[in-house]
Amino acid sequence: MDDLEVIDAERRTLLALAYRLLGTVADAEDAVQETYVRWYRMSVEERAQIRNPAAWLTRVAGRICLDALGSARARRERYVGPWLPEPVPHDSLLAARPHPDPLERMTLDESVGMALLVVLESLTPAERVAFVLHDVFGVPFAEIAETVGRSPDAVRQLASQGRRRVRERRAVVASREQHDAVARAFLAAASTGELDGLIALLDPDVVLVSDGGGKKSAALRPVAGADRVARFLRGIAQRHPEADVSLVAAPDGLVMLATIDGRADAVFSFVVREDRITEVFAVRNPDKLSQWP
């Protein structure tokens, strides 16, 4: 395989990396495009001096994503309503698992699930880059240090902090089997429209966050409490009786996909703990539904 083939072969891995770091497909594609622009902007002689093109591309993509995360806060202050990461189906190329170093990484079978992406949003940009590059993609700390501009020891600490926060959130999350069983029961209850059936599957302190991006109707603030969340969801169903709702596999378990006239209208993802739904993430922004049939 020549250098050009090696470079092109890295595109899929870079997209998976950038998606985990930035949370949307469009931002990931932009970051990868900029990475390749920087590669081809170099002279032939400069590229020939790079011993490991794949590592160079990963390092540059990580730096571009780090810069993008730093400016994302200002952009999201102008966003209409809550901002959520973009969900992808289970068979999306972005959901493909990378090949990390198994020695220090944590198990991340659901590495692109909505629940984890939401947790990653709570990390600092440097923590997020260090954690994802090392724990998910197996990049050595010395190389990550070049990306974030800190010492290897500092990067190790950043990754440790990110890992701890992720583990704290994931420690009490239900297994995939429990999650999917609750999702099936929830869809069955939702199809009847009976409020009590919905409430029974919701944690008393459940929180629903909806993202319409100002392009589709959505709650401008989180909805809290089992009764309020159940009524909110039932209200959506009553306003859209023409919607076809089904369960579809996503990286962290079954989600509810609502389609209208053959187009994805909303994706509802769940966090399940002890057979109850504790969080609901409803994405309606059409810009974040391009990966769904």
Side-chain angles (χ1 to χ4, degrees):
M1 182 180 290
D2 60 30
D3 288 346
L4 182 59
E5 290 177 314
V6 169
I7 295 303
D8 288 341
E10 286 301 307
R11 184 177 295 274
R12 177 173 170 176
T13 299
L14 294 176
L15 281 171
L17 168 66
Y19 170 67
R20 287 160 171 81
L21 289 177
L22 300 179
T24 73
V25 176
D27 287 344
E29 290 174 341
D30 288 345
V32 172
Q33 180 66 21
E34 175 61 22
T35 301
Y36 278 95
V37 166
R38 295 187 186 185
W39 170 265
Y40 287 110
R41 188 180 291 158
M42 293 188 297
S43 66
V44 174
E45 292 75 16
E46 288 173 324
R47 293 199 295 266
Q49 294 176 6
I50 297 176
R51 292 186 176 183
N52 189 336
W56 185 93
L57 290 168
T58 298
R59 186 165 60 250
V60 171
R63 182 71 226 181
I64 291 171
C65 290
L66 180 61
D67 292 341
L69 286 169
S71 62
R73 180 172 299 176
R75 287 188 288 113
R76 291 176 190 170
E77 287 178 354
R78 301 189 297 270
Y79 196 81
V80 179
W83 186 95
L84 285 173
E86 178 174 351
V88 297
H90 181 71
D91 58 359
S92 168
L93 292 177
L94 294 170
R97 294 184 60 186
H99 305 286
D101 180 351
L103 296 180
E104 294 188 54
R105 71 180 291 274
M106 61 183 292
T107 300
L108 284 175
D109 291 336
E110 303 134 40
S111 59
V112 289
M114 278 291 288
L116 179 60
L117 288 174
V118 170
V119 175
L120 292 179
E121 286 296 313
S122 69
L123 305 183
T124 67
E127 286 175 343
R128 184 168 185 170
V129 170
F131 169 74
V132 171
L133 281 176
H134 181 264
D135 281 50
V136 182
F137 287 82
V139 178
F141 287 124
E143 293 184 22
I144 302 174
E146 296 182 37
T147 300
V148 301
R150 305 195 188 188
S151 70
D153 286 342
V155 170
R156 187 185 299 274
Q157 182 64 24
L158 288 171
S160 176
Q161 291 167 352
R163 187 183 309 120
R164 182 173 62 251
R165 293 173 71 173
V166 170
R167 280 177 169 161
E168 287 172 355
R169 288 291 300 271
R170 290 166 56 90
V172 292
V173 173
S175 67
R176 177 71 63 88
E177 292 74 16
Q178 291 173 312
H179 175 283
D180 290 353
V182 172
R184 293 187 183 95
F186 191 81
L187 178 58
S191 64
T192 67
E194 294 183 3
L195 206 60
D196 290 343
L198 291 174
I199 293 175
L201 293 166
L202 297 172
D203 185 89
D205 297 320
V206 62
V207 175
L208 178 147
V209 180
S210 58
D211 179 347
K215 300 181 179 183
K216 289 286 187 71
S217 61
L220 296 180
R221 294 180 179 83
V223 180
D227 184 74
R228 293 185 65 194
V229 169
R231 292 181 185 278
F232 180 84
L233 292 170
R234 189 175 67 170
I236 293 177
Q238 291 174 341
R239 287 194 299 272
H240 300 282
E242 75 281 16
D244 179 33
V245 183
S246 60
L247 293 175
V248 180
D252 54 356
L254 295 176
V255 300
M256 288 200 318
L257 170 65
T259 60
I260 297 178
D261 295 330
R263 293 186 178 184
D265 183 74
V267 171
F268 297 86
S269 305
F270 310 106
V271 174
V272 177
R273 296 174 184 168
E274 297 181 354
D275 297 324
R276 294 281 186 92
I277 295 173
T278 59
E279 294 176 88
V280 181
F281 305 117
V283 176
R284 296 200 68 214
N285 185 342
D287 294 340
K288 297 181 180 180
L289 297 175
S290 63
Q291 302 293 302
W292 298 83

